[in-house]
Amino acid sequence: MSIVDAIDRAKSEGRTVLTEIESKQILEEAGIPTTTARLARTADEAVKAAKEFGYPVVLKIVSPDVTHKSDVGGVQLGLNSPEAVTAAYQEITQALKRQQPDARIEGVAVQKMARPGMEVIIGMSKDQQFGPVLMFGLGGILVEVLKDVAFRIVPLEPRDARQMIREIKGFPALQGFRGQEPADLEALEKLILMVSAFVEAHPEIEELDLNPVFAYKDGALAVDARIVLG
Ligand code: ADP
Ligand code: MG
């Protein structure tokens, strides 16, 4: 789906937040590697999609009323069989109905389970003074609690991407320690520059979150994505 189509569709439905599925489709078109997700509106459709992707898969809730999918029991990882997918479909949709009876449910997103990697975050938000600003940090507690993040104003130069990765306190973790493999820093730099070029080309995007990106010793992959329109 092109970004124009996605924007039209969202607007016609009165939404400013694109789903994970829409967000990933657009990012892929811009060359950003993601775990492609497909919408399933029933458990049977989810099983069919899982078969096409190949096991193991991940199921996630698709609802315009949910921002943090795991917080509402909306993410199930490592599903290895049609039975597991069917059960996960029911559990995910029922968990949301229990917690937020008014929430709209489009279905679930089915995607391949990615091999584990170190979790990093790449985000874009708009500053009143500086306009679009990119953020980079290590995933999870390091970003949320310790605010160990680096910022640069869009558009970024290759040097900016290099520096922002190296200036976070958690950088040594990316270099590998205690048997952990070092992350592919070049792939992360390239990804940051691609995101910079992408948001620069699309001023209609107000906010972007790749949270998390899995950093591997060879490459990087966005496993969750969220785009907010202005
Ligand atoms: P949330 O809306 O809660 O942020 P995410 O899509 O980020 O939901 O999923 C929660 C966590 O599940 C991620 O931080 C990541 O560790 C893991 N995860 C999500 N998608 C995948 C995937 N395709 N493969 C492997 N792990 C995944
Ligand atoms: Mg996430």
Side-chain angles (χ1 to χ4, degrees):
M1 176 173 19
S2 80
I3 187 155
V4 179
D5 295 337
I7 290 174
D8 284 349
R9 191 177 151 218
K11 273 191 184 153
S12 73
E13 293 173 9
R15 290 182 291 132
T16 55
V17 182
L18 302 185
T19 66
E20 175 182 351
I21 299 173
E22 292 166 335
S23 302
K24 284 179 168 176
Q25 280 174 339
I26 293 166
L27 290 164
E28 274 160 27
E29 217 163 83
I32 292 168
T34 79
T35 44
T36 308
R38 189 177 318 155
L39 181 68
R41 295 179 185 279
T42 63
D44 283 349
E45 279 182 22
V47 169
K48 216 165 141 196
K51 193 174 169 206
E52 280 163 31
F53 280 121
Y55 291 96
V57 294
V58 172
L59 259 57
K60 302 185 197 175
I61 192 76
V62 180
S63 164
D65 303 310
V66 171
T67 308
H68 300 292
K69 300 174 289 292
S70 341
D71 290 356
V72 294
V75 178
Q76 288 209 22
L77 304 173
L79 304 168
N80 263 313
S81 66
E83 293 73 31
V85 168
T86 303
Y89 187 97
Q90 309 300 355
E91 285 164 22
I92 285 173
T93 49
Q94 274 157 25
L96 183 59
K97 280 180 194 153
R98 249 193 334 270
Q99 292 169 68
Q100 297 180 33
D102 296 334
R104 293 160 288 177
I105 299 178
E106 277 196 43
V108 303
V110 184
Q111 62 197 261
K112 266 204 84 71
M113 176 79 182
R115 64 192 159 105
M118 200 176 303
E119 297 200 3
V120 305
I121 297 178
I122 299 172
M124 184 279 286
S125 56
K126 283 192 175 159
D127 181 271
Q128 276 209 342
Q129 205 174 347
F130 300 115
V133 172
L134 277 209
M135 186 264 270
F136 174 81
L138 293 186
I141 188 172
L142 288 168
V143 164
E144 279 166 36
V145 181
L146 301 177
K147 311 273 184 249
D148 180 21
V149 292
F151 293 95
R152 286 292 184 284
I153 297 168
V154 173
L156 276 73
E157 302 280 334
R159 199 184 51 172
D160 296 317
R162 258 188 83 76
Q163 286 175 344
M164 73 194 297
I165 291 172
R166 284 162 178 78
E167 76 188 34
I168 57 169
K169 293 192 196 72
F171 175 63
L174 289 172
Q175 291 177 298
F177 67 107
R178 302 229 174 126
Q180 277 224 4
E181 278 174 332
D184 183 344
L185 301 179
E186 257 174 55
L188 288 177
E189 286 167 31
K190 192 174 152 209
L191 187 53
I192 289 171
L193 293 172
M194 282 170 103
V195 172
S196 170
F198 172 71
V199 298
E200 191 189 8
H202 296 291
E204 64 275 34
I205 296 178
E206 199 61 28
E207 224 180 282
L208 171 83
D209 271 307
L210 305 183
N211 181 8
V213 170
F214 282 2
Y216 297 119
K217 72 171 196 302
D218 52 347
L221 180 65
V223 304
D224 187 19
R226 182 166 178 272
I227 288 175
V228 181
L229 304 171

